[in-house]
Amino acid sequence: MAPAAGLRRALRNEPPWPGTAGRRTLVLADASSSLELRILRGWIARNRPNGDHDVNLVEIPPVRRPRRRAGLEALDAELAAGDDPLLAPLRVAWLPRKRDGVRQVRLSDIPRFGDPRDPGALRQRWVLSRDPDRCRVVAGEPAPLSQLRERWRDAGYHDTEETTGLSEFVARQAVLALERAERQLRGDRYKVPRLVHQDVLNRPGFRGGLARLARELGRSDEDLRRTAARNLKEIAATHSPFVIDIAAHLIRLLYRRGYGDRLHYDRESLRRVKALGQRNPVVFLPSHKSNLDHLVLQYALHENGHAPNHTAGGINMNFLPVGPIVRRSGVFFIRRTFKDDPVYKFTLSHYIDYLIEKRFSLEWYIEGGRSRSGKLLPPRFGLLGSVVDSYRRGKADDVTLIPVSIAYDQIQDVPEYAAEQRGGAKQRESFTWLVNVLRRLGRRYGGIHIRFGEPLSLAETFGRAESDNWESHPEQEQWAVQKLAFEVCLRINQVTPITESSLVTFAMLGSGFRALSIGEVVEALRNVLGFVRLRKLPTCGELDLDDAPGVSRALEALVGNGVVTKFTEGLEPLYVIGPEQQLAAAYYRNTVIHFFLNACVAELALLRAAEETANDRLETFWGEALALRDLLKFEFFFPEKEAFRAELAAEIRFSEPDWEARVREGPDAILRLVHSFRPFSSHRALRPFIDAYQIVGDLLEREPHRAFVESEFVDQCLRLGRQYHLQRRIHSAQSISQVLFRTALRLARNRGVLTDAPDLEERRSALAAEIRSVARRVEAIDALAASRRAGVIQ
């Protein structure tokens, strides 16, 4: 069929003629080619009511091919005519070929003709003649000129007697109406913003705020507008439906190289999230353990029909070829620091306002960067504060936060993380870095498990928007945002699934670093598995670790990636985690130690209550529990004090329902209560952290008057850690870690022992003594564990 014949015949599912109510009809045609313009004229000829000749067509600047300029002079003339015509936006949409019942771009489309949704003029003719079902006429929601003029005036543009600027507003509204209509044709997964730069830069609030900022900075309005426009171009994502589809195919190819054919997640959870997003914007806040985190979440959303998130990415990832691809699939780039750049900060804030107001989904890592230790890092507050501010300013009726845990059976980046903890430099992101990432994915790492935590509503957390008291209490605002961020992290931890790798390393790292037979590993896991099942903790499927075949498969997977060493020259195979492997093994152990944290605190606090110096033993127990909570508050996420006390009491009741009475009975009853804990946990979970803190505490105590420079101090901690390890003053190489030393320094700074003071020496000694006291009790738990392995106690 020739294109001319296609112009005469109706296309599939053509929209009806709009109801004009006696008005003149002004068709606003978004046409990227002369062929599209002829198709739209054909639609008008076929569909306008008989005898209705009062129809005019005016071209507006096309969205898809902006180089084909259509001026606004004709539209200006129509708007100044003095009547009230009905403005009807019209466009031609081109669809991908249907394959297996789905219209989606394939990788094979790239070397052929490019984006099938945006064909050039020659390809348009070919599609119309060979596959006319791929060509559709799209009509946007019509509106009378009087209504648009009123909206234009309310938006703060110009006086109603003038038409200067009105045509730009009308053309932009026509494009937005067409985007909404075409989205019904394309599907929700292609809900992407158009005209972002124009919408943000032309907003009255943005222009007014920029003018105030110009006066404060002593710069001209025009200079600041240019700077803001450059900043917005640097920041904003530029979604392309074509790249969204291509990126989805590339992501699937990528993760399948190392992680099998499918991602493991609950589709019903995603359906609930999608329903929330229909009413208000949602913000996905995933954990960050791998460079694959964003990609696999993006693919899970894509295959369930979700629109791509607007995802905050570090500017360090904006390199070829990654930067242009991910920007067009939804990533917006932000600088690592910009607190001294008020124009950049102002522009980013208004970009966030725009996304919240338009109900686009957002995503960023609540931790800021990838965890090098395996456990969840302390949250960053900047972007979360910006979203809360947008909500408080009334940009949305509510915003829903979605905590997300992304867990891996094994991670290809762990050797790199271990090297960094030992003092190595972080590898800079570049094309060479990307090649190395792809090369490492050629090995098998198990599965990827995505879990969605309980959503958090800003409306329920903060009350109604536009509160009069919010801006007048900045300290209250900061505290509320921090509290919200910690709640998000708690909910991420609650749904993090326990993997077989994490439990095997948890068991082996608490077994004295001996080489173990498969039977001994099975035995070491017995109480650990019982702990997980009794408390109904989340797991990634059924854990196959009760017998030798299942444990053997888990161990071989760890051997395959260098986390465990296998010895086969004796009578039976033996497995050991060597000193050079301990940080890598600890990474997997650390992904789940938060589930054992209450048990650890209970063990150590009970031992303190059993000491001869304790008077009121129950009071001593609670005092020590809260002291441990304070000592470890920069390392782990604890709930509020009352909730913490309730959780701790519930944990001990798994071993002894009437535990408080046992504590009051005295030391012997307390020790019997401790002996009933299965498994013993403190030596497995907390000792690496306490030993690292001891290194920091000892070094601070030894040199109380030396000028403090953090980078030099951490280097000295690394050297002292290696010395302590050789002297067996610390248990393992897990504690020789930059990450742990820097967290211990956060505690020291919080305790006021890093700045000069008259009693600095005494305060440093007190901190070191507190850490050593905890370390002694951890050693006591290790001795009990050794006694149980030897059969001395049950």
Side-chain angles (χ1 to χ4, degrees):
M1 180 175 65
L7 296 177
R8 291 190 296 268
R9 183 180 300 174
L11 299 174
R12 185 175 178 183
N13 296 332
E14 285 193 341
W17 189 262
T20 60
R23 288 186 173 89
R24 177 170 68 94
T25 304
L26 183 60
V27 175
L28 306 180
D30 175 5
S32 71
S33 67
S34 58
L35 177 61
E36 288 190 356
L37 193 59
R38 290 163 59 200
I39 292 171
L40 297 181
R41 292 187 186 279
W43 176 85
I44 293 172
R46 287 190 300 275
N47 290 279
R48 71 180 174 187
N50 291 333
D52 186 354
H53 300 291
D54 202 5
V55 177
N56 289 346
L57 181 146
V58 175
E59 289 188 70
I60 60 175
V63 170
R64 287 205 316 275
R65 301 274 169 169
R67 288 189 298 273
R68 184 184 180 274
R69 291 294 179 189
L72 292 170
E73 295 82 4
L75 181 57
D76 276 328
E78 292 285 353
L79 299 182
D83 60 346
D84 188 19
L86 184 73
L87 307 183
L90 207 62
R91 170 190 290 175
V92 175
W94 303 90
L95 305 179
R97 185 183 306 163
K98 184 177 284 188
R99 301 178 178 97
D100 301 324
V102 178
R103 292 192 184 275
Q104 190 176 14
V105 175
R106 302 290 181 91
L107 291 175
S108 58
D109 289 316
I110 298 178
R112 291 179 180 175
F113 304 103
D115 187 355
R117 298 188 186 89
D118 186 17
L122 289 177
R123 193 178 177 200
Q124 288 177 2
R125 295 175 62 86
W126 185 90
V127 170
L128 187 61
S129 63
R130 299 294 183 89
D131 196 357
D133 187 49
R134 292 175 54 194
C135 177
R136 306 290 177 86
V137 174
V138 175
E141 182 75 22
L145 174 59
S146 57
Q147 185 183 106
L148 286 171
R149 192 188 297 274
E150 184 72 18
R151 287 165 55 191
W152 172 64
R153 187 188 65 184
D154 290 344
Y157 283 79
H158 293 279
D159 186 85
T160 56
E161 297 301 317
E162 301 181 17
T163 56
T164 304
L166 176 60
S167 57
E168 289 92 339
F169 178 79
V170 167
R172 184 159 53 249
Q173 296 305 305
V175 168
L176 295 175
L178 288 168
E179 288 297 315
R180 288 191 292 269
E182 190 171 342
R183 192 184 309 145
Q184 301 300 316
L185 190 63
R186 294 188 308 235
D188 285 343
R189 63 161 53 117
Y190 304 108
K191 177 189 175 183
V192 298
R194 294 283 194 180
L195 309 174
V196 175
H197 292 264
Q198 298 95 314
D199 273 358
V200 174
L201 296 175
N202 290 327
R203 289 183 164 211
F206 184 86
R207 296 199 312 272
L210 207 59
R212 288 192 297 273
L213 190 58
R215 290 193 296 271
E216 292 172 9
L217 299 176
R219 296 169 60 181
S220 70
D221 290 3
E222 184 59 33
D223 179 33
L224 241 61
R225 278 195 293 269
R226 285 195 298 267
T227 302
R230 286 195 300 270
N231 288 341
L232 186 60
K233 185 177 181 180
E234 176 187 314
I235 293 168
T238 54
H239 289 76
S240 160
F242 177 62
V243 176
I244 289 169
D245 280 343
I246 294 300
H249 289 293
L250 291 175
I251 291 169
R252 188 165 189 269
L253 288 176
L254 187 65
Y255 80 71
R256 288 179 67 194
R257 282 176 58 84
Y259 291 98
D261 289 338
R262 58 185 290 266
L263 304 174
H264 303 279
Y265 62 88
D266 178 17
R267 291 178 180 268
E268 181 57 36
S269 295
L270 271 183
R271 280 192 285 271
R272 290 194 293 269
V273 170
K274 190 173 184 180
L276 290 171
Q278 299 295 326
R279 299 190 294 271
N280 296 294
V282 297
V283 177
F284 291 84
L285 297 171
S287 57
H288 195 15
K289 292 184 171 58
S290 166
N291 286 302
L292 290 178
D293 291 336
H294 163 66
L295 300 180
V296 297
L297 178 57
Q298 179 178 334
Y299 187 81
L301 295 173
H302 183 84
E303 69 176 351
N304 285 273
H306 291 240
N309 294 335
H310 284 71
T311 303
I315 198 70
N316 57 305
M317 295 298 294
N318 191 18
F319 63 88
L320 291 172
V322 172
I325 294 175
V326 299
R327 186 187 290 275
R328 287 168 175 78
S329 64
V331 172
F332 64 94
F333 292 108
I334 56 176
R335 300 173 188 172
R336 290 295 188 189
T337 58
F338 49 84
K339 62 181 179 180
D340 297 326
D341 189 340
V343 182
Y344 185 93
K345 185 177 181 181
F346 175 84
T347 306
L348 177 60
S349 173
H350 278 264
Y351 180 62
I352 298 296
D353 280 355
Y354 168 81
L355 297 178
I356 293 296
E357 186 176 315
K358 298 297 183 182
R359 295 209 314 272
F360 289 111
S361 298
L362 279 78
E363 175 194 336
W364 68 84
Y365 301 119
I366 190 71
E367 303 165 87
R370 285 177 291 164
S371 171
R372 265 62 178 178
S373 65
K375 65 181 185 61
L376 206 60
L377 297 177
R380 301 290 182 89
F381 308 118
L383 275 175
L384 184 59
S386 296
V387 169
V388 170
D389 286 344
S390 292
Y391 165 71
R392 300 300 298 185
R393 290 195 296 270
K395 300 301 178 182
D397 293 333
D398 194 6
V399 179
T400 304
L401 309 183
I402 310 294
V404 184
S405 173
I406 305 175
Y408 301 78
D409 288 332
Q410 293 192 62
I411 297 177
Q412 74 278 7
D413 300 322
V414 165
E416 174 190 327
Y417 298 161
E420 289 180 30
Q421 289 190 75
R422 295 188 191 101
K426 176 181 178 292
Q427 187 177 356
R428 182 175 175 271
E429 289 81 0
S430 63
F431 182 74
T432 302
W433 166 86
L434 177 63
V435 171
N436 290 333
V437 170
L438 295 175
R439 183 182 296 122
R440 288 199 300 268
L441 277 173
R443 305 171 72 172
R444 305 308 299 176
Y445 295 96
I448 302 176
H449 314 274
I450 306 173
R451 300 291 186 271
F452 300 94
E454 188 67 23
L456 274 160
S457 160
L458 293 194
E460 293 177 5
T461 303
F462 297 112
R464 65 178 182 85
E466 300 182 280
S467 169
D468 296 333
N469 298 324
W470 184 256
E471 293 185 2
S472 61
H473 296 86
E475 293 184 1
Q476 175 187 342
E477 173 187 349
Q478 185 179 16
W479 171 245
V481 170
Q482 292 178 7
K483 198 172 174 184
L484 179 66
F486 276 87
E487 181 62 29
V488 169
C489 293
L490 279 170
R491 296 189 185 199
I492 290 174
N493 273 341
Q494 286 169 359
V495 297
T496 296
I498 295 172
T499 66
E500 292 183 352
S501 297
S502 64
L503 281 197
V504 169
T505 52
F506 184 89
M508 293 184 71
L509 287 170
S511 299
F513 299 110
R514 300 179 301 113
L516 303 176
S517 66
I518 290 178
E520 288 173 318
V521 177
V522 171
E523 186 59 33
L525 280 163
R526 192 177 310 283
N527 286 333
V528 177
L529 284 169
F531 183 97
V532 170
R533 288 165 179 161
L534 181 62
R535 289 154 182 79
K536 296 181 173 58
L537 300 179
T539 61
C540 44
E542 187 64 32
L543 297 174
D544 186 17
L545 296 174
D546 292 285
D547 53 26
V551 170
S552 177
R553 283 190 294 272
L555 285 168
E556 291 298 329
L558 291 166
V559 169
N561 289 303
V563 181
V564 172
T565 296
K566 183 179 181 180
F567 177 81
T568 58
E569 297 177 14
L571 297 177
E572 60 180 336
L574 297 178
Y575 298 86
V576 66
I577 298 173
E580 71 286 351
Q581 298 166 313
Q582 287 169 12
L583 279 173
Y587 185 95
Y588 296 110
R589 187 266 325 273
N590 290 349
T591 61
V592 297
I593 57 173
H594 56 276
F595 291 119
F596 297 85
L597 187 57
N598 285 335
C600 294
V601 172
E603 290 171 356
L604 299 179
L606 286 169
L607 287 184
R608 174 70 184 88
E611 292 177 1
E612 292 299 327
T613 56
N615 294 320
D616 185 325
R617 298 192 184 277
L618 194 58
E619 184 178 333
T620 300
F621 167 83
W622 285 117
E624 181 62 19
L626 292 173
L628 287 167
R629 179 180 180 272
D630 186 72
L631 183 72
L632 299 169
K633 64 185 176 183
F634 294 109
E635 207 70 67
F636 302 102
F637 295 96
F638 292 97
E640 297 288 339
K641 285 186 180 180
E642 289 308 310
F644 170 70
R645 289 171 66 99
E647 288 184 7
L648 198 56
E651 176 59 43
I652 304 176
R653 279 195 289 272
F654 281 109
S655 299
E656 171 54 68
D658 197 16
W659 67 274
E660 290 173 301
R662 303 290 84 75
V663 171
R664 291 191 183 97
E665 288 176 13
D668 292 341
I670 293 173
L671 291 177
R672 286 195 298 273
L673 175 57
V674 173
H675 289 181
S676 70
F677 278 42
R678 297 180 185 278
F680 294 122
S681 301
S682 300
H683 66 300
R684 305 174 193 267
L686 288 189
R687 179 153 53 184
F689 301 92
I690 299 301
D691 282 354
Y693 281 35
Q694 183 177 337
I695 293 167
V696 171
D698 286 358
L699 198 54
L700 287 171
E701 185 180 31
R702 289 181 184 186
E703 301 180 355
H705 303 296
R706 180 178 175 180
F708 180 77
V709 179
E710 182 167 323
S711 58
E712 295 176 3
F713 186 87
V714 170
D715 287 340
Q716 194 171 357
C717 286
L718 290 168
R719 293 192 294 271
L720 183 61
R722 287 189 282 269
Q723 173 192 321
Y724 275 16
H725 190 221
L726 290 171
Q727 295 175 308
R728 295 297 183 263
R729 295 181 64 178
I730 61 172
H731 186 65
S732 74
Q734 300 171 69
S735 302
I736 310 172
S737 163
Q738 285 195 89
V739 175
L740 301 188
F741 295 148
R742 292 187 187 278
T743 309
L745 285 173
R746 289 187 67 198
L747 173 71
R749 188 174 288 108
N750 178 258
R751 296 285 183 93
V753 300
L754 298 186
T755 54
D756 197 17
D759 61 343
L760 180 63
E761 188 171 349
E762 291 81 0
R763 283 193 286 169
R764 288 189 172 185
S765 294
L767 176 61
E770 179 184 354
I771 295 168
R772 283 193 290 268
S773 173
V774 175
R776 284 193 295 271
R777 279 176 274 132
V778 172
E779 287 293 338
I781 294 295
D782 190 21
L784 290 175
S787 298
R788 181 174 285 167
R789 287 196 300 271
V792 176
I793 63 173
Q794 294 300 312

